[in-house]
Amino acid sequence: LRGALCVCVCARARPPQTRDLDVDLVLEPQPKTFKITLPVGSGAGQTKKKKKIIYANPYPRRAVTMRVSCLDDQVEVREGKVDLEPGSRGDIVLKFAPLPTPEPRRATLLLQEEGSPFVFPIHLELVPVAGGGLPPVTPPPARKADP
């Protein structure tokens, strides 16, 4: 199994002298980090970059629907949920605006199983494209008139 296994234990004593032990097993996947390169700039001609992340179902024996959200304005989630069959993977499609400055940024996607309090984070490293993004558009040189 991928991920970490968390164990929650609760011990209770009941009269007459009996003891119960309740154990809940929760499979919690390790957070993943994806590196995404983006252009730098904020001009009117800048378009959003589309990127697909593939996420595996953390449960090998049951289907699950995960809600996908992100609080960062830099990241737009195309669909708010992903349906995963047992042991399968699903696509999370994201759109990114160009970075406003040439410094790297971090954003976090939050995946939450419907009806569950557990949130699975996906970290995004937003890295500027080498060279600062797209080059500026320059007009062609003017032609000289023939005499």
Side-chain angles (χ1 to χ4, degrees):
L1 294 175
R2 284 180 240 129
L5 187 62
C6 298
V7 179
C8 301
V9 178
C10 176
R12 294 181 285 176
R14 294 185 189 164
Q17 310 248 346
T18 61
R19 294 184 188 171
D20 291 338
L21 181 64
D22 294 334
V23 177
D24 290 329
L25 300 178
V26 177
L27 181 66
E28 184 178 314
Q30 294 292 332
K32 292 188 176 190
T33 301
F34 291 89
K35 183 177 178 180
I36 303 193
T37 57
L38 297 172
V40 178
S42 58
Q46 297 282 354
T47 60
K48 292 186 176 185
K49 181 178 181 180
K50 189 161 87 171
K51 185 75 173 175
K52 177 173 64 172
I53 292 175
I54 299 173
Y55 188 76
N57 185 345
Y59 306 109
R61 293 190 178 95
R62 69 180 173 105
V64 66
T65 298
M66 302 287 251
R67 288 184 297 172
V68 183
S69 62
C70 185
L71 301 177
D72 193 315
D73 292 340
Q74 195 74 32
V75 183
E76 179 184 324
V77 179
R78 185 171 172 198
E79 296 234 5
K81 70 176 186 170
V82 60
D83 296 315
L84 303 168
E85 294 299 318
S88 71
R89 300 181 202 205
D91 296 340
I92 300 172
V93 180
L94 306 169
K95 285 188 177 181
F96 298 90
L99 292 171
T101 61
E103 289 82 30
R105 291 181 59 173
R106 289 190 64 121
T108 302
L109 289 179
L110 304 175
L111 277 71
Q112 184 174 18
E113 181 183 350
E114 289 185 347
S116 171
F118 298 108
V119 175
F120 305 117
I122 296 178
H123 303 293
L124 305 173
E125 287 185 25
L126 309 179
V127 180
V129 173
L134 301 174
V137 177
T138 56
R143 297 176 91 191
K144 292 184 178 181
D146 292 329

